[in-house]
Amino acid sequence: TTNHLRHVESMASLPSGAGKISHLNAVILGEALASEENDFVFPSDDFSRQALIPSPHKYLEMYKRSIEDPAGFWSGIASSQFYWKQKWGDQVCSENLDVRKGDIKIEWFKGGITNICYNCLDRNIDAGLADKIALYWESNEPGFDAHLTYSQLLHRVCQLANYLKSIGVRKGDAVIVYLPMLMELPITMLACARIGAVHSVYILLPHKIVEKLDCKPKVVITCNAVRRGPKTINLKDIVDAALVESAKNGISIDVCLTYENQSALKRESTKWQEGRDVWWEDVVPKYPTTCDVEWVDAEDPLFLLYTSGSTGKPKGVLHTTGGYMVYTATTFKYAFDYKESDVYWCTADCGWITGHSYVTYGPMLNGATVVVYEGAPNYPDSGRCWDIVDKYKVTIFYTAPTLVRSLMRDGDEASCISNLVYTLKYPVQNYVTRYSRKSLRVLGSVGEPINPSAWRWFFNVVGGSRCPISDTWWQTETGGFMITPLPGAWPQKPGSATFPFFGVQPVIVDEKGTEIDGECSGYLCVKGSWPGAFRTLYGDHERYETTYFRPFPGYYFTGDGCSRDKDGYHWLTGRVDDVINVSGHRIGTAEVESALVSHPQCAEAAVVGVEHEVIKWSVASVKGQGIYAFVTLVEGVPYSEELRKSLILTVRNQIGAFAAPDKIHWAPGLPKTRSGKIMRRILRKIASRQLDELGDISTLAEPGVVDQLIALADS
Ligand code: 6R9
């Protein structure tokens, strides 16, 4: 940290926005500067003036306090901004983070009695937000929408909470939630929290996961179907199949509460199991609109989120109540420079941690107005996001690089307009600029490193060069943001997540676990604990310790690679297993991908390492691993030999000859999870032609792309 503080201190002497306009222009023009590291994008004076953290000085002052006195820093926030039925005991935080000193233990605000649903709803209503819009819901089909004020939301939450109690759900019981982005999803999460039940939300419900659940759920909450783009997806069928599997493993579900999503599928067409299945609309509205809160300890579990580990059993990441509450609310507030008048839209699904922390809890704890969108971001066409931004006057827009790149690929020119109504409303025009977007003031990115070229497009085209981008680095395990820009506080560098959030001490270590100082790259770890950290892997504390605390004793190991530049900015280089070793050069896949994507005709790239001897196409020399790049192209651009050469040349020029891909594999689409992460595990198998070892592809957003890729492998 001393190192980090020194860097920020030197940065504190940088001028803020003033006088930097010409530099900013150079950045806007997209001039490929010699090094990304020297690319500063300064916030405007106007933005900084109104920002919660207006300068590096202010950040530094708060950051120092958060590190020197974490207990004082966090308890100050916890007691002034949240309701506690009873205050925590003598110790704000009690922890052991060193496996050599015994079991890993993290506790914050232990003995404090509270309820996160109360803090999201009742507390804000008491503070005068009863009639403020809590949720705007936008359907997949343009023109269909709904909204709820804070008091209406509380009523809905209480009705469901009462129903759940009536069927026997008690404090500590697990509830499985498999709902699309309807208002009923945050309602369900909040209702569980209100009665102390532990929700476990899924994006996908492959039976492989259900059969391995340790939490012995009795209730599943789902809906019959959802519309995503032109497709109708029958969720209830998926649930039914998963429940058949789980029954074989001794998990019997008593109640499957099913919301009838009428716009997608009518109830007559839904398969039904009498005695187990119940229509939400038939029961929930009959219950009272008030419901007493179940007061819980700060360390009582709030939710489980199963993340499909790359191998073996899924990991049940467990978050508890108090620390998570304080952390998500505080990170949301500062990283998005939140103001009461903001309208916030995060495109993430609630089945991803991003939806937990930054669709539901973080924003609601701040009394924010949140947009929930059911559908596909490019439906009916690639302008939909900006249509929604204009419709609701969205001020903070938070999304993933994968979406930014795909919208960038669809081009600024409208080339295919798929819907008649849209064609009439918007005769061929730019997908982005046909909308005003002037409400936007802060943009956000999460999930992967955002390539500098995608960053610039997001910044210049979407944000009109006006809106800072919060490139938030964090994980399911961390609960909330860890390394993130604070908008307006300091200049950004496109592609860098910048500096740690308050209370977070990132350290970069070498193979031996020794902390390295100054300009360096290595394994990213975290020293000390922060309130939002996960407390265990459900039912497997041993695996928690082995995976996260044993690799570098004394630290939490993130599994990510990271470098720190001369100005102290952090650059995430991807998962450390995504490092390729070519003739002794360690190359992060993210670096090569970034270079490829900076080519004007390349939309997206995924790079994997392959053993040289197994590849027919390899050059004769033995380089250890070869670099195999999958690329998707900007819409309308044909793949050609000339383009292949020019892509390779781009990488040579930007990184060096040693990083030039040995093989370019043209791909119409890439295999991704629903949260937008490229599944490199599958690409590695395709690259090394081990096609019978593809493994489970059921968690892919579009499993069809795998066949396409295989078909194109040797063309
Ligand atoms: C929130 C979330 C965590 C992994 C993480 C890292 C990658 C997320 C990033 C990022 C670079 C960012 N990641 N945000 N890499 N820059 N802004 O994504 O959680 O699904 O658990 O994934 O995602 O590799 O370790 P989760």
Side-chain angles (χ1 to χ4, degrees), residues 46 54 66 78 96 122 202 253 287 302 377 458 578 591 642 668 697:
D46 283 349
S66 74
N96 172 41
D122 311 58
Y202 287 85
I253 297 294
Y287 283 81
L302 174 63
F458 199 25
D578 289 335
E591 264 179 284
E642 200 186 332
I697 59 167

Side-chain angles (χ1 to χ4, degrees), residues 307 352-354 398 401 445-450 470-478 483 495 497 558-561 571-575 675 677:
T307 66
W352 182 20
I353 186 67
T354 306
Y398 185 38
S445 169
V446 57
E448 291 175 288
I450 178 163
S470 289
D471 175 5
T472 60
W473 176 83
W474 60 296
Q475 309 176 297
T476 305
E477 292 87 344
T478 68
I483 302 181
T558 66
D560 279 353
W571 299 78
L572 277 301
T573 51
R575 305 294 299 174
S675 64
K677 288 194 175 54

Side-chain angles (χ1 to χ4, degrees), residues 236-270:
K236 181 67 168 40
D237 283 354
I238 300 172
V239 172
D240 287 347
L243 295 188
V244 168
E245 287 304 313
S246 62
K248 290 183 194 155
N249 289 274
I251 300 170
S252 68
I253 297 294
D254 300 336
V255 178
C256 179
L257 183 67
T258 308
Y259 182 79
E260 183 187 3
N261 190 12
Q262 291 213 18
S263 63
L265 187 70
K266 297 276 179 263
R267 57 168 77 183
E268 304 78 61
S269 319
T270 306

